[in-house]
Amino acid sequence: MSKTLARHLNLSGASNFRDLGGYVTHDGRTVRWRQIFRSNHLAHLTEQDIAIVRGLGVKSAFDFRGVAERAEALCGMTDVTVHSLPVEPTVVAALRAIAETRPLSKDDAVDVMRDSYRGYVQDNTERYRTLFAHLLEDRAPLVIHCTAGKDRTGFACALILHALGVPDEVIADDYLLTNQFYKRDTSATSELPDHVRQVLGTVQAAFLDAAFEAIDDDYGSLDGYFHDGLGLGQAERKALEGRYLQA
């Protein structure tokens, strides 16, 4: 029987730092604990946080932040190899454009978030393909993150769990755990109204659904996306399962 460990690690300088392990797949295997973690950015880790992350054996970080985002808040662990996979943010610029013509609503925020998730598929598949190439090569425990660790990271983690054969409803529940563990930075200044920022500070099933709708539209199916978009044929899928699943 798989050992049950803490999924969420309550770090002082990072929120939403979670383990993807412990989920049972369709065929009864289990995602290995303490191999793949997800988080918001790692620039504000305390010394105690760093000791915890080092204790987990994390050697690599896969950073989906855009170029400017990353430059403003570099990883706080010099002994972690950072792989930059920049997915440039689009949400705030899109909302500002709308705000020039009329007041923003919550629905505007949801629509823009859904568009950004479609963009992960339509404009940034190469970044996610690179992630999976690394997952097939890198045996060390690793962490995947962006700025908030909820959207670009959330899509990446959903793809990983799908590739490993975790059921849809479990993946959806894991994605929504962000609403329990992510702490929005209330000190960050923004001209956006609070009801819009509240939407941006959460995840909704409708956001992730938009990405998978784009996958169906552009690739015909999730299997088609894995094969043609992410370079995961049957051999690669089996190798991924061998690395990150246990009986």
Side-chain angles (χ1 to χ4, degrees):
M1 179 178 291
S2 176
K3 182 180 180 181
T4 299
L5 300 173
R7 181 165 307 287
H8 176 247
L9 285 82
N10 190 24
L11 303 181
S12 297
S15 73
N16 208 21
F17 194 104
R18 311 201 317 256
D19 193 328
L20 286 189
Y23 292 124
V24 179
T25 65
H26 288 292
D27 63 6
R29 289 181 289 176
T30 303
V31 180
R32 294 181 185 275
W33 287 101
R34 299 305 190 245
Q35 294 299 300
I36 302 176
F37 299 92
R38 57 175 295 174
S39 181
N40 69 334
H41 73 79
L42 305 176
H44 297 153
L45 296 177
T46 65
E47 288 300 319
Q48 184 176 7
D49 294 338
I50 290 173
I52 291 170
V53 176
R54 280 184 180 146
L56 295 170
V58 172
K59 301 296 183 185
S60 303
F62 296 90
D63 184 352
F64 282 103
R65 293 179 297 171
V67 174
E69 290 174 282
R70 183 182 175 203
E72 290 171 0
L74 295 176
C75 178
M77 295 184 65
T78 57
D79 52 348
V80 166
T81 300
V82 178
H83 302 272
S84 179
L85 306 173
V87 176
E88 294 296 338
T90 60
V91 169
V92 173
L95 288 169
R96 285 173 176 161
I98 296 171
E100 290 178 356
T101 63
R102 56 177 171 77
L104 290 168
S105 69
K106 283 188 175 182
D107 286 344
D108 290 325
V110 171
D111 289 344
V112 168
M113 287 300 298
R114 281 174 55 81
D115 282 343
S116 73
Y117 274 69
R118 293 187 190 97
Y120 302 158
V121 177
Q122 295 165 345
D123 304 321
N124 293 284
T125 285
E126 188 60 35
R127 308 300 190 192
Y128 293 97
R129 185 183 182 109
T130 302
L131 171 66
F132 277 94
H134 279 294
L135 291 176
L136 286 165
E137 295 173 357
D138 192 340
R139 288 188 178 273
L142 56 94
V143 59
I144 299 165
H145 74 90
C146 49
T147 292
K150 67 184 193 69
D151 300 309
R152 292 164 286 191
T153 296
F155 177 56
C157 292
L159 288 175
I160 291 168
L161 293 176
H162 273 297
L164 295 174
V166 175
D168 292 2
E169 62 273 16
V170 177
I171 294 171
D173 287 344
D174 178 79
Y175 171 74
L176 292 172
L177 280 178
T178 282
N179 291 333
Q180 182 177 344
F181 295 118
Y182 173 61
K183 297 180 179 65
R184 183 159 59 101
D185 184 1
T186 55
S187 67
T189 58
S190 173
E191 76 281 14
L192 298 173
D194 189 60
H195 62 270
V196 169
R197 286 187 284 119
Q198 286 177 357
V199 173
L200 304 190
T202 64
V203 292
Q204 298 182 20
F207 300 169
L208 191 58
D209 287 347
F212 288 99
E213 289 162 9
I215 285 172
D216 287 341
D217 289 344
D218 291 357
Y219 293 87
S221 68
L222 183 55
D223 283 340
Y225 185 59
F226 281 140
H227 187 276
D228 298 333
L230 301 179
L232 296 177
Q234 288 187 348
E236 289 79 14
R237 293 278 292 274
K238 285 188 177 298
L240 201 68
E241 291 171 1
R243 183 158 294 184
Y244 296 108
L245 295 180
Q246 63 187 39

